[in-house]
Amino acid sequence: MRQRIVTPKAYSAEDEKNIVSLRPSRLSEYIGQKQVVEKLSVSLEAIRRRAETHEHILFYGPPGLGKTTLAHIIANELGTKIVSTSGPSLQRTGDLMGILTNLDTGDVLFIDEIHRLSPAVEEFIYPAMEDFKVDFVVDKGVYARVINVPLKRFALIGATTRAGLLSGPLRNRFGIFHHIDFYPEDELAQIIQRSAKILETKIDKEACYELARRSRGTPRIANRLLRRVRDFSLVKRDGVINIEAVNSALEIEGVDSAGLDNLDVKFLTTIISYYAGGPVGIEAIAATINEEVDTLEEMVEPYLLKIGFLKRTQKGRVVGQLAFDHLKQKPDGDIQKRLL
Ligand code: ADE
């Protein structure tokens, strides 16, 4: 798939480096997700006072909203080490064995995309989470023996974009759950202002809000767009980011006034023109526009659903009235009736 500037996932090593450089490292610097931050600050303070380790935490919500950032902040605030890995990269129990036995008391093990652990690794992790031990099988066949290896009390922080795909037994082993949601415009504008300061770039308030409006509620996208607009204004303007620079730069990038790119527009107009606005199954849409179902479900739909441009019904996806207005299209009468 081509690279989208509005993708909520990191798309290259360079992009990842840029994301990391703008990450807040303390809870006090973190903007937004007030409830989560409040609950975390209480539990972190309690742990400090009682000199305990943190319960296992699951962060769930769409990509790009700060799940990894929060995991790093927790380790940082507790003054412990964080070891980061991900579900798809832990294919064999041996991969996890080395990581677990190297953790010290209070260390954080961060597993991104935890819904993608292999069944064997998932089974292996249960006693590690529950009793801080692992049962490791050595040798094969009649020589096979189970060695019980004790572990230090670590905290597992899992992150997932698809909480529904987590198995019951894994979910039950987490003590704390935090839902991370899309950011409102004013918080995104504050994040952009903070990032601009770190990047030593001048940006006026109107430009901050315009960028925020087009960032799909996602800090990672806001920061990426900010860098592009910064480059544009450096080369084509006087270096100060104003609304005109935002509009011109984002027009070149193919990001429209609602933050939609070609793929979002193609997704919506396909439902409108091929399937009369819906309802239509995601598989049919994916086949029509030649994209993976997973890509559409994870990278395109969440924000369209959030802003009411798309609705999910039992019969399939339906384009919302707001999307018809935005795309300057008219639903036919039949669709209107079905939507009511
Ligand atoms: N950069 C990315 N996300 C952020 C957040 N929530 N607060 C501050 N800076 C950020």
Side-chain angles (χ1 to χ4, degrees):
M1 203 188 92
R2 73 204 161 283
Q3 168 183 311
R4 299 171 75 200
I5 189 172
V6 295
T7 185
K9 291 213 171 156
Y11 54 67
S12 67
E14 181 71 16
D15 192 44
E16 179 70 33
K17 213 173 74 195
N18 289 341
I19 293 164
V20 171
S21 71
L22 292 176
R23 248 179 213 160
S25 54
R26 309 302 303 217
L27 210 51
S28 57
E29 295 171 69
Y30 197 92
I31 296 160
Q33 311 294 340
K34 288 210 176 61
Q35 267 195 342
V36 176
V37 168
E38 183 64 33
K39 283 197 258 178
L40 276 178
S41 70
V42 171
S43 62
L44 288 172
E45 184 54 30
I47 286 159
R48 276 192 214 104
R49 288 194 196 181
R50 289 198 302 254
E52 281 180 356
T53 50
H54 210 293
E55 280 182 89
H56 304 310
I57 304 175
L58 183 72
F59 288 119
Y60 63 101
L65 302 185
K67 298 186 289 296
T68 306
T69 304
L70 285 168
H72 279 85
I73 287 177
I74 290 169
N76 205 19
E77 293 281 350
L78 293 173
T80 58
K81 182 173 84 215
I82 178 165
V83 177
S84 294
T85 182
S86 74
S89 67
L90 290 174
Q91 283 312 306
R92 292 167 307 125
T93 54
D95 299 336
L96 192 55
M97 182 70 187
I99 296 177
L100 286 171
T101 50
N102 276 306
L103 292 175
D104 279 322
T105 304
D107 281 353
V108 170
L109 171 61
F110 176 64
I111 306 184
D112 201 8
E113 297 190 74
I114 195 162
H115 60 277
R116 292 180 61 192
L117 285 176
S118 69
V121 171
E122 193 174 316
E123 290 260 332
F124 185 73
I125 224 171
Y126 295 157
M129 290 176 78
E130 211 159 61
D131 304 319
F132 300 101
K133 66 176 179 74
V134 279
D135 300 322
F136 197 65
V137 182
V138 288
D139 274 348
K140 289 200 174 108
V142 290
Y143 299 107
R145 283 165 299 138
V146 175
I147 298 183
N148 199 265
V149 184
L151 304 171
K152 306 265 176 56
R153 289 188 79 87
F154 68 99
L156 177 67
I157 303 185
T160 179
T161 49
R162 311 286 293 270
L165 295 185
L166 227 60
S167 73
L170 183 56
R171 201 171 1 187
N172 291 340
R173 283 171 172 83
F174 286 97
I176 300 178
F177 299 81
H178 290 298
H179 181 223
I180 312 293
D181 208 348
F182 290 110
Y183 292 63
E185 232 167 78
D186 59 335
E187 289 175 357
L188 275 183
Q190 285 177 52
I191 291 172
I192 291 165
Q193 212 153 30
R194 174 184 176 275
S195 301
K197 204 179 266 175
I198 295 171
L199 295 171
E200 298 177 352
T201 299
K202 286 205 170 69
I203 179 165
D204 69 27
K205 199 166 167 189
E206 196 185 5
C208 266
Y209 272 86
E210 185 59 25
L211 261 184
R213 235 188 319 280
R214 299 197 197 193
S215 298
R216 310 164 77 91
T218 307
R220 188 175 293 170
I221 296 176
N223 285 338
R224 196 184 289 134
L225 294 182
L226 173 66
R227 282 181 193 274
R228 298 289 173 98
V229 180
R230 177 187 67 154
D231 292 350
F232 175 89
S233 60
L234 184 72
V235 175
K236 302 268 189 192
R237 303 285 187 271
D238 60 1
V240 178
I241 301 176
N242 57 20
I243 182 101
E244 192 269 328
V246 171
N247 287 336
S248 306
L250 294 194
E251 190 177 337
I252 294 170
E253 296 290 347
V255 177
D256 79 5
S257 61
L260 308 192
D261 72 349
N262 288 341
L263 183 57
D264 302 299
V265 172
K266 194 165 157 194
F267 178 87
L268 292 167
T269 51
T270 298
I271 306 178
I272 293 171
S273 41
Y274 286 74
Y275 301 100
V280 54
I282 187 71
E283 289 80 10
I285 307 168
T288 312
I289 61 178
N290 204 15
E291 285 288 349
E292 300 281 326
V293 169
D294 274 0
T295 305
L296 298 179
E297 281 189 338
E298 235 181 289
M299 314 283 206
V300 176
E301 290 196 318
Y303 189 62
L304 297 178
L305 288 163
K306 168 81 183 169
I307 60 173
F309 277 24
L310 182 72
K311 298 187 194 305
R312 278 173 87 153
T313 69
Q314 272 186 339
K315 289 187 187 158
R317 273 62 168 176
V318 177
V319 173
Q321 180 61 48
L322 290 169
F324 282 107
D325 296 345
H326 179 72
L327 298 169
K328 299 188 172 49
Q329 302 238 3
K330 277 202 172 28
D332 71 35
D334 265 4
I335 300 167
Q336 279 297 53
K337 267 182 241 138
R338 267 183 276 149
L339 283 172
L340 293 174

